[in-house]
Amino acid sequence: MAAVKQLCKSLVQPLLAVIIGLLTGALVIAAVGESIIGTYQEMWKGAFGSFYFLTSTLARATPIMLIGLGLSLAFRAGVFNLGAEGQMVTGAISATLVALYLPAPGFVKMVAALVTGVLAGGLWSLFAGYLEARFRIQLLISSLLLNYVAVLFAGYLVSEPFQDKTGSAAMAQTPMLEKSVWLPKLFAGMSVHAGFLFALAAALLIFFVIRYTPFGYEVKMLGQNPFFSRYGGVNRVRVMLTGMFFSGGLAGLAGTVEVLGSHYRYVEGALTLPNFAWTGLMATLLANSHPIGVVFTSLLLAALQTGAMGVERNTDVPLELASVIQAVLILFISAKFSYDWWKNRNNKRRESHGAV
């Protein structure tokens, strides 16, 4: 019962943010001269109007959900991992090369690619954690800057040594993977693949770990009160490095399932242009880092994006409507963090004056 109450509480914030975002979007629609109700009906149809559109939304939500879940674990431990994009790309390119060149049957290559994607993303994230633990380089900065290293290095790999040179376009991409390595689709002819089930399983696993295991208790203690956790015997470096590894591992898995389930090769820009990493960050912040809440906020943000495509197809309202609504969501989150910071500062002042 307590878990249900906590989940409902975590969903209040995103629902309120969405209402404010939709009201702002209504102003944009009115400025364009379109019907507000008609436009939002088209957005709903574009996201959920048919089974095809529903599965497209689920497919879009899959990498967002995996990234968001990894970040929720890190944030709960008080670790600010902003390197999900680089971790996703590192996992994706590593998994692609294993799927292409490992001499093994198709199913073995698929499993090896999935494991490699998780390990590569996790180790890339762990490197940022190591820089903080060993050299006191701020994790916020190192994880963010390592995104550029990962994305540019992956771009070099697919435009030079591992580029597919069989076609005339000479695009920056690897050769196509064998069909035996592709992730199975959940429904024939639809875009959603088995990666969506991996995301749901990861959400349940993280919820169980946080709520019922000693490591989850240490994560909560470190995130809520780092000074008290130190006196309680929590090893901050160990928890931080473990959280960073699994956070990056889930981001690496997000990139891997996109390659194995949607693109069937690594294409430069295919993972970074849709802004999966930053949308996953937004999903985490909206859900207040609750793993089950991340499932719902990821679906919501994916629906905004796929629904906006339907709006652009059938009305004069541009695709950027979704960007406007998401920008309002970011402002709402920022305002909430600022209010919480101001409230905590005032509480600390009152406590210090009371002590005097």
Side-chain angles (χ1 to χ4, degrees):
M1 192 68 184
V4 175
K5 253 175 119 177
Q6 187 182 1
L7 175 60
C8 292
K9 188 178 177 182
S10 69
L11 292 176
V12 170
Q13 177 183 320
L15 287 175
L16 181 60
V18 169
I19 291 171
I20 296 174
L22 292 177
L23 290 174
T24 307
L27 297 177
V28 176
I29 296 167
V32 175
E34 287 284 338
S35 164
I36 295 173
I37 295 176
T39 301
Y40 281 137
Q41 284 177 340
E42 291 297 334
M43 179 175 279
W44 176 266
K45 289 177 185 175
F48 305 110
S50 69
F51 190 65
Y52 173 80
F53 290 137
L54 171 62
T55 55
S56 297
T57 299
L58 297 180
R60 182 85 174 189
T62 298
I64 297 172
M65 199 182 303
L66 284 167
I67 290 169
L69 289 167
L71 292 177
S72 73
L73 181 62
F75 289 172
R76 276 181 169 266
V79 178
F80 295 99
N81 177 16
L82 293 184
E85 184 171 76
Q87 294 146 21
M88 172 181 61
V89 166
T90 302
I93 187 64
S94 303
T96 303
L97 296 179
V98 167
L100 281 171
Y101 300 111
L102 182 69
F107 179 75
V108 175
K109 285 205 283 190
M110 181 202 297
V111 174
L114 289 168
V115 173
T116 299
V118 172
L119 290 176
L123 291 173
W124 190 248
S125 178
L126 191 63
F127 178 57
Y130 171 77
L131 290 177
E132 173 164 301
R134 182 69 178 82
F135 301 106
R136 303 296 182 194
I137 298 175
Q138 287 233 353
L139 189 59
L140 195 70
I141 304 300
S142 62
S143 61
L144 184 62
L145 293 181
L146 283 172
N147 287 334
Y148 297 97
V149 178
V151 172
L152 293 174
F153 182 64
Y156 162 75
L157 290 179
V158 298
S159 59
E160 290 293 338
F162 300 107
Q163 183 184 16
D164 180 11
K165 300 186 173 164
T166 57
S168 57
M171 293 178 64
Q173 60 186 19
T174 64
M176 183 74 75
L177 302 178
E178 299 172 6
K179 284 192 176 181
S180 59
V181 185
W182 296 4
L183 282 178
K185 300 292 186 184
L186 297 185
F187 306 99
M190 301 299 170
S191 54
V192 65
H193 48 74
F196 181 71
L197 298 182
F198 297 162
L200 292 180
L204 294 174
L205 180 61
I206 291 175
F207 176 76
F208 176 82
V209 167
I210 293 295
R211 189 164 180 81
Y212 298 109
T213 66
F215 174 73
Y217 175 76
E218 291 181 340
V219 164
K220 286 189 289 186
M221 286 296 300
L222 185 60
Q224 292 172 2
N225 196 326
F227 298 106
F228 180 78
S229 66
R230 185 186 306 167
Y231 287 111
V234 176
N235 187 326
R236 178 190 172 276
V237 172
R238 178 179 60 82
V239 174
M240 183 267 288
L241 293 178
T242 305
M244 283 296 290
F245 176 80
F246 285 107
S247 176
L250 284 170
L253 181 61
T256 301
V257 298
E258 276 298 287
V259 169
L260 300 185
S262 296
H263 304 295
Y264 311 122
R265 65 170 82 201
Y266 184 91
V267 183
E268 186 178 13
L271 298 177
T272 54
L273 291 178
N275 286 322
F276 289 136
W278 301 110
T279 309
L281 173 62
M282 194 187 309
T284 305
L285 296 176
L286 270 175
N288 202 23
S289 299
H290 192 288
I292 305 301
V294 168
V295 173
F296 291 101
T297 53
S298 299
L299 290 171
L300 167 68
L301 294 173
L304 278 177
Q305 295 172 3
T306 54
M309 296 175 193
V311 168
E312 188 175 52
R313 284 193 301 267
N314 301 310
T315 71
D316 291 331
V317 179
L319 182 66
E320 284 72 24
L321 174 64
S323 300
V324 170
I325 296 174
Q326 288 189 17
V328 173
L329 298 182
I330 293 173
L331 287 174
F332 181 89
I333 294 167
S334 302
K336 180 183 179 299
F337 281 154
S338 299
Y339 172 75
D340 290 343
W341 174 82
W342 177 79
K343 187 177 177 182
N344 289 334
R345 188 186 68 168
N346 285 346
N347 288 339
K348 286 178 181 176
R349 279 183 178 175
R350 288 195 199 99
E351 289 172 3
S352 62
H353 288 319
V356 173

